[in-house]
């Protein structure tokens, strides 16, 4: 009999969204007239912008002619897109990158999940808590976690709590860690780390030989001046950090699929005998072996994001979501709820009132005002007692939801 990778059996069930769907379906069956508004979704709702659509139509036509048809492209992405990324997303911040340091991919989910393959299974992993679950689960699959303990934590993982008590700024680990996942702006808390905080992490990584895996999937939502858009704005980060960016929330590519990962050549990790190897080389090897590139049509669509029209159009969509975020945040604050995020991110993270746990608050919101959000406990142990609402809905629903919360929610 073939043996399985038993680490998969250590994973917690994908309980969160299934349980939300079950509770909503049960309520709806008992209350068919209820008009349920979903503010739990982490997916965009606005269509691709015209500049992207036009570029993709043009690329489709190119695929129809022998002279312009494209087959397999470079696994790392086409240079036309890589150069736009470097010129627009990095050069304005004084960051210099080589074409072979940017890898175009089909999504940050794959990249943040796959990157751990480059690292030894004995590495110690630190993960902010609560956070996007992919970092944890992929390390569980790889065997870095041990078995889930009764406290809901994996003994092999160093959890870095981010709560209102520490202003959502993770403290440096007390023990030495090798891989550090940071997500800024953060999903689910919607909070960000200013330069001074990121500098602490870069300094820690340099001192301890750690690598920072910096997920900036929500970079486009940063509005405040002192928040770094890239970890490479911090001096020395190009020696210790890998950065992930995505077109998903930037330009509505959640279903179209395009992202990129920056692996500077200077970022190193060592063999047991202490020989240093460039992670850029290893990532290139991994991608060329296991990945065959993002479709030409999609990369042309992503390239159009950087045109003048593309920039104006995607900015309008991001502003639309951020107006929703403001409506949600201010609405919650106005009735005395503690709300965080929503200023540099499309997520609003609220403290459940009266010591309710995350699921109790979920049920209250569903039954009192017919609104669905996401229980914070689903994002990690420190998410208990919090709740996530998202700004990706349409304006009408967002306004209606907040009006209901203000007038009908009792707690
Ligand atoms: N990183 C974070 C923090 C996310 O919240 C998400 C999606 O929700 C992703 C990465 C995945 O992005 P992509 O659509 O590029 O796979």
């Amino acid at each position: 009999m073939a043996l399985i990778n038993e680490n998969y059996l250590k994973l917690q069930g994908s309980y969160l969204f299934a349980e939300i769907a079950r509770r909503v379906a049960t309520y709806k069956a008992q209350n068919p007239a209820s008009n349920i508004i979903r503010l739990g979704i982490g997916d965009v709702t606005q269509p691709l912008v015209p500049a992207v659509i036009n570029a993709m139509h043009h690329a489709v036509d190119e695929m129809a002619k022998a002279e312009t048809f494209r087959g397999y492209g470079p696994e790392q992405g086409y240079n036309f897109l890589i150069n736009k990324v470097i010129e627009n997303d990095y050069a304005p911040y004084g960051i210099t990158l080589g074409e072979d340091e940017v890898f175009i991919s089909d999504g940050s989910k794959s990249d943040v999940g796959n990157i751990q393959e480059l690292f030894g299974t004995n590495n110690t992993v630190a993960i902010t808590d609560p956070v996007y679950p992919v970092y944890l689960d992929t390390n569980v699959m790889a065997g870095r976690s041990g078995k889930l303990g009764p406290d809901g934590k994996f003994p092999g993982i160093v959890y870095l709590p981010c709560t209102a008590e520490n202003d959502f700024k993770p403290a440096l680990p007390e023990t030495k860690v090798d891989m550090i996942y940071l997500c800024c702006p953060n999903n689910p808390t919607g909070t960000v780390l200013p330069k001074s905080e990121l500098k602490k992490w870069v300094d820690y990584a340099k001192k301890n030989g750690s690598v920072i895996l910096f997920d900036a999937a929500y970079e486009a939502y940063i509005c405040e001046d002192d928040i770094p858009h890239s970890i490479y704005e911090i001096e020395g980060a190009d020696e210790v950090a890998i950065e992930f960016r995505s077109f998903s929330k930037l330009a509505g590519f959640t279903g179209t699929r395009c992202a990129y990962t920056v692996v500077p050549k200077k970022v190193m990790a060592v063999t047991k005998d202490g020989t240093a190897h460039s992670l850029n080389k290893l990532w290139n090897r991994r991608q060329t072996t296991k990945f065959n590139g993002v479709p030409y049509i999609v990369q042309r669509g992503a390239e159009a994001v950087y045109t003048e029209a593309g920039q104006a159009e995607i900015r309008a969509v991001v502003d639309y979501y951020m107006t929703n975020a403001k409506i949600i945040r201010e609405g919650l604050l106005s009735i005395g709820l503690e709300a965080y995020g929503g200023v540099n991110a499309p997520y609003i993270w609220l403290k459940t009132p009266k010591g309710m746990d995350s699921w109790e608050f979920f049920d209250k919101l569903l039954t009192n005002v017919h609104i669905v959000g996401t229980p914070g406990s689903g994002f990690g142990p420190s998410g208990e007692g919090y709740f996530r609402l998202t700004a990706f809905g349409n304006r009408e629903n967002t306004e209606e939801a907040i009006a209901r919360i203000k007038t009908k929610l009792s707690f």
Side-chain angles (χ1 to χ4, degrees):
M1 273 302 246
L3 298 174
I4 57 161
N5 174 355
E6 292 191 24
N7 294 318
Y8 274 65
L9 305 180
K10 297 175 189 153
L11 291 163
Q12 291 170 286
S14 52
Y15 161 80
L16 180 66
F17 290 100
E19 180 60 16
I20 291 174
R22 192 190 68 74
R23 290 195 193 201
V24 174
T26 306
Y27 185 78
K28 187 79 185 163
Q30 287 161 359
N31 303 275
S34 56
N35 169 17
I36 292 174
I37 298 179
R38 291 168 198 274
L39 291 188
I41 55 162
D43 196 358
V44 296
T45 51
Q46 300 300 302
L48 292 172
V49 298
V52 168
I53 291 294
N54 292 338
M56 290 193 356
H57 278 163
H58 182 73
V60 168
D61 290 338
E62 285 184 281
M63 295 299 262
K65 294 184 217 121
E67 313 82 71
T68 47
F69 167 77
R70 313 275 178 135
Y72 292 126
E75 291 95 341
Q76 304 88 341
Y78 286 102
N79 276 347
F80 65 74
L81 179 55
I82 291 174
N83 284 318
K84 288 285 181 338
V85 165
I86 294 171
E87 283 159 28
N88 293 277
D89 293 347
Y90 291 96
Y93 298 98
I95 299 160
T96 315
L97 291 173
E99 280 174 352
D100 51 0
E101 292 178 303
V102 177
F103 295 82
I104 308 295
S105 78
D106 64 350
S108 285
K109 185 178 193 175
S110 334
D111 288 356
V112 298
N114 293 330
I115 198 78
Q116 50 74 31
E117 284 182 23
L118 308 190
F119 297 89
T121 45
N122 289 332
N123 280 333
T124 305
V125 178
I127 294 178
T128 55
D129 169 30
V131 86
Y132 186 53
V134 176
Y135 318 145
L136 175 65
D137 286 356
T138 52
N139 278 291
V140 174
M141 290 170 175
R144 293 190 191 90
S145 65
K147 276 199 183 136
L148 188 70
D151 57 352
K153 293 184 179 177
F154 288 95
I157 302 289
V158 175
Y159 292 79
L160 306 169
C162 296
T163 60
E165 281 70 45
N166 63 7
D167 198 19
F168 302 95
K169 297 186 174 89
L172 293 174
E174 283 160 15
T175 51
K176 182 177 163 314
V177 299
D178 306 302
M179 297 153 64
I180 302 158
Y181 288 83
L182 296 178
C183 178
C184 177
N186 188 271
N187 174 16
T189 65
T191 55
V192 286
L193 297 172
K195 267 193 184 146
S196 54
E197 286 296 313
L198 273 190
K199 184 174 172 346
K200 272 182 11 195
W201 285 98
V202 170
D203 292 346
Y204 174 91
K206 286 179 80 166
K207 191 167 153 221
N208 292 283
S210 333
V211 175
I212 299 174
L213 303 162
F214 188 74
D215 185 346
Y218 297 94
E219 175 276 334
Y221 292 81
I222 295 173
C223 298
E224 289 179 325
D225 287 341
D226 62 331
I227 308 303
H229 287 248
S230 163
I231 193 159
Y232 305 121
E233 288 180 55
I234 314 299
E235 211 189 315
D238 60 347
E239 292 164 37
V240 292
I242 292 174
E243 177 163 296
F244 306 90
R245 298 260 195 116
S246 172
F247 291 90
S248 285
K249 309 295 161 67
L250 165 74
F253 274 57
T254 51
T256 308
R257 311 305 301 145
C258 197
Y260 64 85
T261 290
V262 178
V263 191
K265 286 192 178 151
K266 285 196 239 168
V267 184
M268 299 281 173
V270 293
T271 54
K272 279 192 198 124
D273 68 7
T275 313
H277 288 264
S278 163
L279 291 178
N280 176 285
K281 257 195 170 170
L282 300 192
W283 184 244
N284 189 52
R285 189 69 172 87
R286 192 255 169 228
Q287 290 299 81
T288 51
T289 303
K290 294 197 182 181
F291 181 61
N292 239 343
V294 176
Y296 173 72
I297 298 162
V298 172
Q299 292 192 59
R300 281 294 183 199
E303 182 194 23
V305 163
Y306 296 104
T307 59
E308 207 181 319
Q311 284 291 299
E313 290 163 2
I314 61 156
R315 199 26 66 198
V317 178
V318 168
D319 288 349
Y320 176 88
Y321 293 137
M322 286 311 283
T323 303
N324 287 348
K326 189 166 189 280
I327 292 167
I328 298 171
R329 183 185 155 90
E330 289 179 359
L332 299 176
L333 291 172
S334 76
I335 55 165
L337 284 167
E338 266 180 61
Y340 305 93
V343 176
N344 294 295
Y347 296 119
I348 295 90
W349 188 240
L350 69 97
K351 179 99 195 82
T352 54
K354 301 248 159 67
M356 267 182 243
D357 74 28
S358 299
W359 279 108
E360 264 178 90
F361 189 73
F362 174 92
D363 288 334
K364 188 162 199 54
L365 211 58
L366 177 61
T367 55
N368 265 204
V369 288
H370 304 160
I371 290 165
V372 178
T374 314
S377 51
F379 297 97
S382 295
E384 182 56 273
Y386 289 89
F387 199 79
R388 190 189 77 172
L389 295 175
T390 86
F392 287 126
N394 67 36
R395 181 64 42 76
E396 197 188 341
N397 281 349
T398 303
E399 283 173 343
E400 164 71 17
I402 291 305
R404 284 189 205 167
I405 287 176
K406 279 165 113 170
T407 53
K408 296 197 193 130
L409 182 68
S410 53
F411 54 87

